[in-house]
Amino acid sequence: GSLLHLEHSKGKLIRKGPDMSKLHSGNIRLFSPKELLRLFGFPAWYKFPSDLNQRHRWKVVGQSISCTVVQSIMHIEFCTALRHWETKIA
């Protein structure tokens, strides 16, 4: 999974969440698959199949492509290219 920076540091495991995410006092913890889904733009109602284990959930999210993110990147790239083209012909 991906790492999340935390404010404090002692270096020991504080707790293990119900979703198996580990919270460390050593400045990092793993994002839970649910947090990654939100970051990747999946809808709030999306749920993993109940028989899919934690490691495979991270893998599924990590190998996915967020259409929302791709759309935003393509919009930025298109607008940048259009502005560049317009300055060349002006």
Side-chain angles (χ1 to χ4, degrees):
S2 300
L3 300 176
L4 175 67
H5 181 266
L6 299 174
E7 297 285 325
H8 53 287
S9 77
K10 295 258 191 248
K12 62 183 178 180
L13 181 68
I14 295 175
R15 69 175 169 80
K16 194 175 206 176
D19 62 354
M20 302 298 287
S21 62
K22 295 177 183 176
L23 180 60
H24 293 269
S25 62
N27 286 339
I28 59 170
R29 76 164 176 84
L30 295 174
F31 280 109
S32 72
K34 188 172 184 174
E35 290 170 319
L36 290 173
L37 286 174
R38 299 303 162 262
L39 287 170
F40 276 60
F42 281 78
W45 53 261
Y46 182 84
K47 303 262 190 238
F48 288 105
S50 60
D51 61 341
L52 193 62
N53 70 36
Q54 189 73 4
R55 184 176 301 268
H56 285 109
R57 290 176 185 202
W58 272 312
K59 195 177 206 179
V60 166
V61 176
Q63 293 177 349
S64 67
I65 296 174
S66 167
C67 293
T68 307
V69 172
V70 171
Q71 178 185 16
S72 296
I73 292 170
M74 293 300 294
H75 179 76
I76 291 166
E77 289 298 315
F78 177 77
C79 290
T80 302
L82 184 60
R83 279 193 300 272
H84 179 71
W85 180 75
E86 286 173 339
T87 58
K88 282 190 160 201
I89 63 166

mmCIF file of all heavy atoms in Angstrom, residues 45-79:
data_model
loop_
_atom_site.group_PDB
_atom_site.id
_atom_site.type_symbol
_atom_site.label_atom_id
_atom_site.label_comp_id
_atom_site.label_asym_id
_atom_site.label_seq_id
_atom_site.Cartn_x
_atom_site.Cartn_y
_atom_site.Cartn_z
ATOM 1 N N TRP A 45 -19.986 4.816 -2.705
ATOM 2 C CA TRP A 45 -20.770 3.588 -2.546
ATOM 3 C C TRP A 45 -19.991 2.336 -2.962
ATOM 4 O O TRP A 45 -20.425 1.217 -2.687
ATOM 5 C CB TRP A 45 -22.069 3.656 -3.348
ATOM 6 C CG TRP A 45 -21.890 3.999 -4.791
ATOM 7 C CD1 TRP A 45 -22.051 5.237 -5.348
ATOM 8 C CD2 TRP A 45 -21.509 3.134 -5.865
ATOM 9 N NE1 TRP A 45 -21.787 5.192 -6.705
ATOM 10 C CE2 TRP A 45 -21.449 3.896 -7.055
ATOM 11 C CE3 TRP A 45 -21.196 1.790 -5.959
ATOM 12 C CZ2 TRP A 45 -21.107 3.376 -8.287
ATOM 13 C CZ3 TRP A 45 -20.848 1.251 -7.190
ATOM 14 C CH2 TRP A 45 -20.806 2.043 -8.328
ATOM 15 N N TYR A 46 -18.826 2.490 -3.597
ATOM 16 C CA TYR A 46 -18.079 1.324 -4.083
ATOM 17 C C TYR A 46 -17.612 0.459 -2.924
ATOM 18 O O TYR A 46 -17.076 0.944 -1.937
ATOM 19 C CB TYR A 46 -16.867 1.751 -4.913
ATOM 20 C CG TYR A 46 -16.113 0.560 -5.459
ATOM 21 C CD1 TYR A 46 -16.515 -0.054 -6.625
ATOM 22 C CD2 TYR A 46 -15.025 0.033 -4.777
ATOM 23 C CE1 TYR A 46 -15.857 -1.164 -7.119
ATOM 24 C CE2 TYR A 46 -14.363 -1.075 -5.258
ATOM 25 C CZ TYR A 46 -14.773 -1.678 -6.424
ATOM 26 O OH TYR A 46 -14.121 -2.777 -6.895
ATOM 27 N N LYS A 47 -17.798 -0.832 -3.040
ATOM 28 C CA LYS A 47 -17.358 -1.801 -2.027
ATOM 29 C C LYS A 47 -16.601 -2.929 -2.716
ATOM 30 O O LYS A 47 -16.936 -3.336 -3.827
ATOM 31 C CB LYS A 47 -18.551 -2.405 -1.297
ATOM 32 C CG LYS A 47 -19.452 -1.412 -0.626
ATOM 33 C CD LYS A 47 -19.132 -1.310 0.823
ATOM 34 C CE LYS A 47 -20.194 -0.497 1.515
ATOM 35 N NZ LYS A 47 -19.745 0.630 2.190
ATOM 36 N N PHE A 48 -15.580 -3.439 -2.040
ATOM 37 C CA PHE A 48 -14.866 -4.605 -2.525
ATOM 38 C C PHE A 48 -15.706 -5.852 -2.275
ATOM 39 O O PHE A 48 -16.500 -5.883 -1.328
ATOM 40 C CB PHE A 48 -13.544 -4.782 -1.776
ATOM 41 C CG PHE A 48 -12.498 -3.776 -2.140
ATOM 42 C CD1 PHE A 48 -12.182 -2.744 -1.280
ATOM 43 C CD2 PHE A 48 -11.807 -3.870 -3.338
ATOM 44 C CE1 PHE A 48 -11.209 -1.825 -1.599
ATOM 45 C CE2 PHE A 48 -10.834 -2.955 -3.667
ATOM 46 C CZ PHE A 48 -10.532 -1.939 -2.804
ATOM 47 N N PRO A 49 -15.509 -6.898 -3.066
ATOM 48 C CA PRO A 49 -16.153 -8.166 -2.733
ATOM 49 C C PRO A 49 -15.691 -8.618 -1.346
ATOM 50 O O PRO A 49 -14.521 -8.449 -0.992
ATOM 51 C CB PRO A 49 -15.651 -9.136 -3.810
ATOM 52 C CG PRO A 49 -15.218 -8.246 -4.940
ATOM 53 C CD PRO A 49 -14.744 -6.971 -4.311
ATOM 54 N N SER A 50 -16.581 -9.149 -0.546
ATOM 55 C CA SER A 50 -16.256 -9.499 0.840
ATOM 56 C C SER A 50 -15.178 -10.571 0.955
ATOM 57 O O SER A 50 -14.482 -10.642 1.962
ATOM 58 C CB SER A 50 -17.509 -9.937 1.586
ATOM 59 O OG SER A 50 -18.085 -11.060 0.953
ATOM 60 N N ASP A 51 -15.016 -11.417 -0.070
ATOM 61 C CA ASP A 51 -14.014 -12.479 0.007
ATOM 62 C C ASP A 51 -12.622 -12.048 -0.492
ATOM 63 O O ASP A 51 -11.697 -12.843 -0.509
ATOM 64 C CB ASP A 51 -14.480 -13.714 -0.765
ATOM 65 C CG ASP A 51 -14.696 -13.442 -2.250
ATOM 66 O OD1 ASP A 51 -14.841 -12.251 -2.632
ATOM 67 O OD2 ASP A 51 -14.728 -14.405 -3.024
ATOM 68 N N LEU A 52 -12.451 -10.788 -0.856
ATOM 69 C CA LEU A 52 -11.173 -10.288 -1.353
ATOM 70 C C LEU A 52 -10.320 -9.831 -0.166
ATOM 71 O O LEU A 52 -10.710 -8.949 0.595
ATOM 72 C CB LEU A 52 -11.408 -9.114 -2.309
ATOM 73 C CG LEU A 52 -10.243 -8.654 -3.165
ATOM 74 C CD1 LEU A 52 -9.779 -9.761 -4.104
ATOM 75 C CD2 LEU A 52 -10.646 -7.430 -3.962
ATOM 76 N N ASN A 53 -9.134 -10.449 -0.001
ATOM 77 C CA ASN A 53 -8.314 -10.105 1.161
ATOM 78 C C ASN A 53 -7.640 -8.741 0.992
ATOM 79 O O ASN A 53 -7.633 -8.156 -0.083
ATOM 80 C CB ASN A 53 -7.301 -11.211 1.483
ATOM 81 C CG ASN A 53 -6.196 -11.331 0.455
ATOM 82 O OD1 ASN A 53 -5.733 -10.343 -0.113
ATOM 83 N ND2 ASN A 53 -5.749 -12.557 0.215
ATOM 84 N N GLN A 54 -7.075 -8.256 2.100
ATOM 85 C CA GLN A 54 -6.500 -6.908 2.155
ATOM 86 C C GLN A 54 -5.415 -6.681 1.104
ATOM 87 O O GLN A 54 -5.391 -5.657 0.432
ATOM 88 C CB GLN A 54 -5.931 -6.676 3.558
ATOM 89 C CG GLN A 54 -5.489 -5.273 3.835
ATOM 90 C CD GLN A 54 -6.650 -4.321 4.014
ATOM 91 O OE1 GLN A 54 -7.804 -4.721 4.006
ATOM 92 N NE2 GLN A 54 -6.358 -3.065 4.171
ATOM 93 N N ARG A 55 -4.503 -7.619 0.957
ATOM 94 C CA ARG A 55 -3.404 -7.473 -0.007
ATOM 95 C C ARG A 55 -3.936 -7.334 -1.428
ATOM 96 O O ARG A 55 -3.466 -6.508 -2.201
ATOM 97 C CB ARG A 55 -2.451 -8.661 0.084
ATOM 98 C CG ARG A 55 -1.238 -8.543 -0.819
ATOM 99 C CD ARG A 55 -0.274 -9.677 -0.629
ATOM 100 N NE ARG A 55 0.205 -9.776 0.723
ATOM 101 C CZ ARG A 55 1.312 -9.199 1.178
ATOM 102 N NH1 ARG A 55 2.025 -8.466 0.367
ATOM 103 N NH2 ARG A 55 1.686 -9.361 2.423
ATOM 104 N N HIS A 56 -4.938 -8.112 -1.780
ATOM 105 C CA HIS A 56 -5.514 -8.028 -3.123
ATOM 106 C C HIS A 56 -6.308 -6.734 -3.317
ATOM 107 O O HIS A 56 -6.378 -6.213 -4.420
ATOM 108 C CB HIS A 56 -6.373 -9.259 -3.415
ATOM 109 C CG HIS A 56 -5.541 -10.463 -3.703
ATOM 110 N ND1 HIS A 56 -5.434 -11.520 -2.831
ATOM 111 C CD2 HIS A 56 -4.736 -10.763 -4.759
ATOM 112 C CE1 HIS A 56 -4.615 -12.415 -3.329
ATOM 113 N NE2 HIS A 56 -4.172 -11.982 -4.495
ATOM 114 N N ARG A 57 -6.885 -6.210 -2.249
ATOM 115 C CA ARG A 57 -7.589 -4.929 -2.348
ATOM 116 C C ARG A 57 -6.603 -3.821 -2.709
ATOM 117 O O ARG A 57 -6.878 -3.000 -3.571
ATOM 118 C CB ARG A 57 -8.308 -4.599 -1.039
ATOM 119 C CG ARG A 57 -9.488 -5.511 -0.795
ATOM 120 C CD ARG A 57 -10.138 -5.254 0.531
ATOM 121 N NE ARG A 57 -11.185 -6.256 0.737
ATOM 122 C CZ ARG A 57 -12.200 -6.104 1.543
ATOM 123 N NH1 ARG A 57 -12.336 -5.003 2.251
ATOM 124 N NH2 ARG A 57 -13.097 -7.053 1.676
ATOM 125 N N TRP A 58 -5.439 -3.805 -2.034
ATOM 126 C CA TRP A 58 -4.414 -2.810 -2.374
ATOM 127 C C TRP A 58 -3.974 -2.972 -3.822
ATOM 128 O O TRP A 58 -3.803 -2.007 -4.548
ATOM 129 C CB TRP A 58 -3.190 -2.955 -1.467
ATOM 130 C CG TRP A 58 -3.257 -2.183 -0.192
ATOM 131 C CD1 TRP A 58 -3.612 -0.870 -0.050
ATOM 132 C CD2 TRP A 58 -2.948 -2.647 1.103
ATOM 133 N NE1 TRP A 58 -3.538 -0.493 1.264
ATOM 134 C CE2 TRP A 58 -3.125 -1.566 2.002
ATOM 135 C CE3 TRP A 58 -2.520 -3.864 1.625
ATOM 136 C CZ2 TRP A 58 -2.891 -1.672 3.364
ATOM 137 C CZ3 TRP A 58 -2.293 -3.958 2.981
ATOM 138 C CH2 TRP A 58 -2.489 -2.880 3.824
ATOM 139 N N LYS A 59 -3.804 -4.218 -4.238
ATOM 140 C CA LYS A 59 -3.348 -4.501 -5.599
ATOM 141 C C LYS A 59 -4.369 -4.035 -6.638
ATOM 142 O O LYS A 59 -4.013 -3.415 -7.643
ATOM 143 C CB LYS A 59 -3.107 -6.006 -5.745
ATOM 144 C CG LYS A 59 -2.324 -6.404 -6.945
ATOM 145 C CD LYS A 59 -2.093 -7.907 -6.909
ATOM 146 C CE LYS A 59 -0.863 -8.245 -7.674
ATOM 147 N NZ LYS A 59 -0.570 -9.673 -7.649
ATOM 148 N N VAL A 60 -5.636 -4.308 -6.388
ATOM 149 C CA VAL A 60 -6.695 -3.909 -7.314
ATOM 150 C C VAL A 60 -6.733 -2.393 -7.470
ATOM 151 O O VAL A 60 -6.795 -1.865 -8.579
ATOM 152 C CB VAL A 60 -8.075 -4.440 -6.832
ATOM 153 C CG1 VAL A 60 -9.217 -3.773 -7.559
ATOM 154 C CG2 VAL A 60 -8.144 -5.946 -7.006
ATOM 155 N N VAL A 61 -6.662 -1.682 -6.353
ATOM 156 C CA VAL A 61 -6.695 -0.218 -6.412
ATOM 157 C C VAL A 61 -5.437 0.308 -7.096
ATOM 158 O O VAL A 61 -5.497 1.196 -7.943
ATOM 159 C CB VAL A 61 -6.837 0.403 -5.000
ATOM 160 C CG1 VAL A 61 -6.765 1.914 -5.073
ATOM 161 C CG2 VAL A 61 -8.132 -0.032 -4.357
ATOM 162 N N GLY A 62 -4.285 -0.260 -6.749
ATOM 163 C CA GLY A 62 -3.024 0.198 -7.322
ATOM 164 C C GLY A 62 -2.916 -0.003 -8.819
ATOM 165 O O GLY A 62 -2.218 0.737 -9.511
ATOM 166 N N GLN A 63 -3.626 -0.995 -9.342
ATOM 167 C CA GLN A 63 -3.577 -1.270 -10.774
ATOM 168 C C GLN A 63 -4.744 -0.649 -11.534
ATOM 169 O O GLN A 63 -4.907 -0.878 -12.722
ATOM 170 C CB GLN A 63 -3.553 -2.786 -11.008
ATOM 171 C CG GLN A 63 -2.277 -3.416 -10.507
ATOM 172 C CD GLN A 63 -2.272 -4.913 -10.671
ATOM 173 O OE1 GLN A 63 -3.279 -5.540 -10.969
ATOM 174 N NE2 GLN A 63 -1.121 -5.514 -10.474
ATOM 175 N N SER A 64 -5.517 0.156 -10.851
ATOM 176 C CA SER A 64 -6.675 0.774 -11.501
ATOM 177 C C SER A 64 -6.298 2.124 -12.094
ATOM 178 O O SER A 64 -5.246 2.687 -11.801
ATOM 179 C CB SER A 64 -7.813 0.952 -10.503
ATOM 180 O OG SER A 64 -7.449 1.908 -9.530
ATOM 181 N N ILE A 65 -7.165 2.623 -12.928
ATOM 182 C CA ILE A 65 -7.014 3.955 -13.505
ATOM 183 C C ILE A 65 -8.277 4.730 -13.163
ATOM 184 O O ILE A 65 -9.388 4.274 -13.423
ATOM 185 C CB ILE A 65 -6.842 3.889 -15.038
ATOM 186 C CG1 ILE A 65 -5.567 3.156 -15.395
ATOM 187 C CG2 ILE A 65 -6.842 5.284 -15.634
ATOM 188 C CD1 ILE A 65 -5.404 2.920 -16.881
ATOM 189 N N SER A 66 -8.085 5.898 -12.580
ATOM 190 C CA SER A 66 -9.221 6.739 -12.229
ATOM 191 C C SER A 66 -9.619 7.572 -13.440
ATOM 192 O O SER A 66 -8.845 8.403 -13.912
ATOM 193 C CB SER A 66 -8.845 7.658 -11.063
ATOM 194 O OG SER A 66 -9.821 8.661 -10.911
ATOM 195 N N CYS A 67 -10.820 7.355 -13.933
ATOM 196 C CA CYS A 67 -11.303 8.131 -15.078
ATOM 197 C C CYS A 67 -11.391 9.613 -14.742
ATOM 198 O O CYS A 67 -11.115 10.463 -15.589
ATOM 199 C CB CYS A 67 -12.661 7.607 -15.528
ATOM 200 S SG CYS A 67 -12.575 5.952 -16.220
ATOM 201 N N THR A 68 -11.729 9.940 -13.513
ATOM 202 C CA THR A 68 -11.806 11.336 -13.095
ATOM 203 C C THR A 68 -10.437 12.003 -13.176
ATOM 204 O O THR A 68 -10.304 13.122 -13.682
ATOM 205 C CB THR A 68 -12.336 11.434 -11.647
ATOM 206 O OG1 THR A 68 -13.553 10.708 -11.559
ATOM 207 C CG2 THR A 68 -12.555 12.862 -11.226
ATOM 208 N N VAL A 69 -9.411 11.315 -12.690
ATOM 209 C CA VAL A 69 -8.054 11.858 -12.725
ATOM 210 C C VAL A 69 -7.561 11.961 -14.169
ATOM 211 O O VAL A 69 -6.995 12.980 -14.565
ATOM 212 C CB VAL A 69 -7.096 11.015 -11.871
ATOM 213 C CG1 VAL A 69 -5.649 11.454 -12.044
ATOM 214 C CG2 VAL A 69 -7.499 11.066 -10.405
ATOM 215 N N VAL A 70 -7.783 10.929 -14.967
ATOM 216 C CA VAL A 70 -7.366 10.957 -16.375
ATOM 217 C C VAL A 70 -8.066 12.098 -17.108
ATOM 218 O O VAL A 70 -7.446 12.822 -17.889
ATOM 219 C CB VAL A 70 -7.642 9.601 -17.069
ATOM 220 C CG1 VAL A 70 -7.416 9.694 -18.564
ATOM 221 C CG2 VAL A 70 -6.760 8.513 -16.467
ATOM 222 N N GLN A 71 -9.348 12.292 -16.847
ATOM 223 C CA GLN A 71 -10.094 13.379 -17.474
ATOM 224 C C GLN A 71 -9.480 14.731 -17.120
ATOM 225 O O GLN A 71 -9.302 15.590 -17.987
ATOM 226 C CB GLN A 71 -11.551 13.336 -17.032
ATOM 227 C CG GLN A 71 -12.386 14.457 -17.612
ATOM 228 C CD GLN A 71 -13.809 14.461 -17.072
ATOM 229 O OE1 GLN A 71 -14.106 13.829 -16.064
ATOM 230 N NE2 GLN A 71 -14.681 15.186 -17.732
ATOM 231 N N SER A 72 -9.137 14.927 -15.862
ATOM 232 C CA SER A 72 -8.531 16.193 -15.435
ATOM 233 C C SER A 72 -7.175 16.410 -16.089
ATOM 234 O O SER A 72 -6.866 17.517 -16.553
ATOM 235 C CB SER A 72 -8.371 16.216 -13.911
ATOM 236 O OG SER A 72 -9.626 16.172 -13.292
ATOM 237 N N ILE A 73 -6.358 15.374 -16.141
ATOM 238 C CA ILE A 73 -5.037 15.484 -16.773
ATOM 239 C C ILE A 73 -5.183 15.791 -18.261
ATOM 240 O O ILE A 73 -4.487 16.669 -18.794
ATOM 241 C CB ILE A 73 -4.216 14.200 -16.552
ATOM 242 C CG1 ILE A 73 -3.841 14.067 -15.067
ATOM 243 C CG2 ILE A 73 -2.959 14.190 -17.432
ATOM 244 C CD1 ILE A 73 -3.246 12.732 -14.700
ATOM 245 N N MET A 74 -6.081 15.103 -18.924
ATOM 246 C CA MET A 74 -6.282 15.332 -20.358
ATOM 247 C C MET A 74 -6.795 16.753 -20.613
ATOM 248 O O MET A 74 -6.381 17.396 -21.581
ATOM 249 C CB MET A 74 -7.258 14.305 -20.941
ATOM 250 C CG MET A 74 -6.716 12.892 -20.940
ATOM 251 S SD MET A 74 -5.188 12.719 -21.897
ATOM 252 C CE MET A 74 -5.773 13.060 -23.529
ATOM 253 N N HIS A 75 -7.662 17.250 -19.759
ATOM 254 C CA HIS A 75 -8.172 18.618 -19.903
ATOM 255 C C HIS A 75 -7.031 19.631 -19.783
ATOM 256 O O HIS A 75 -6.906 20.544 -20.603
ATOM 257 C CB HIS A 75 -9.251 18.899 -18.865
ATOM 258 C CG HIS A 75 -9.798 20.287 -18.923
ATOM 259 N ND1 HIS A 75 -10.685 20.691 -19.894
ATOM 260 C CD2 HIS A 75 -9.558 21.359 -18.152
ATOM 261 C CE1 HIS A 75 -10.967 21.971 -19.712
ATOM 262 N NE2 HIS A 75 -10.297 22.393 -18.652
ATOM 263 N N ILE A 76 -6.186 19.447 -18.775
ATOM 264 C CA ILE A 76 -5.040 20.340 -18.583
ATOM 265 C C ILE A 76 -4.106 20.283 -19.778
ATOM 266 O O ILE A 76 -3.671 21.321 -20.305
ATOM 267 C CB ILE A 76 -4.291 19.989 -17.279
ATOM 268 C CG1 ILE A 76 -5.159 20.349 -16.070
ATOM 269 C CG2 ILE A 76 -2.936 20.699 -17.204
ATOM 270 C CD1 ILE A 76 -4.664 19.755 -14.762
ATOM 271 N N GLU A 77 -3.803 19.073 -20.236
ATOM 272 C CA GLU A 77 -2.896 18.909 -21.371
ATOM 273 C C GLU A 77 -3.489 19.513 -22.650
ATOM 274 O O GLU A 77 -2.792 20.172 -23.412
ATOM 275 C CB GLU A 77 -2.560 17.435 -21.592
ATOM 276 C CG GLU A 77 -1.668 16.855 -20.524
ATOM 277 C CD GLU A 77 -0.311 17.535 -20.466
ATOM 278 O OE1 GLU A 77 0.309 17.765 -21.528
ATOM 279 O OE2 GLU A 77 0.122 17.857 -19.352
ATOM 280 N N PHE A 78 -4.779 19.292 -22.868
ATOM 281 C CA PHE A 78 -5.429 19.831 -24.054
ATOM 282 C C PHE A 78 -5.410 21.356 -24.035
ATOM 283 O O PHE A 78 -5.093 22.004 -25.032
ATOM 284 C CB PHE A 78 -6.868 19.317 -24.168
ATOM 285 C CG PHE A 78 -7.610 19.892 -25.331
ATOM 286 C CD1 PHE A 78 -7.363 19.426 -26.620
ATOM 287 C CD2 PHE A 78 -8.539 20.904 -25.150
ATOM 288 C CE1 PHE A 78 -8.042 19.959 -27.707
ATOM 289 C CE2 PHE A 78 -9.220 21.443 -26.234
ATOM 290 C CZ PHE A 78 -8.970 20.976 -27.510
ATOM 291 N N CYS A 79 -5.756 21.937 -22.873
ATOM 292 C CA CYS A 79 -5.772 23.399 -22.766
ATOM 293 C C CYS A 79 -4.378 23.980 -22.944
ATOM 294 O O CYS A 79 -4.209 25.020 -23.601
ATOM 295 C CB CYS A 79 -6.358 23.830 -21.422
ATOM 296 S SG CYS A 79 -8.128 23.520 -21.296
#
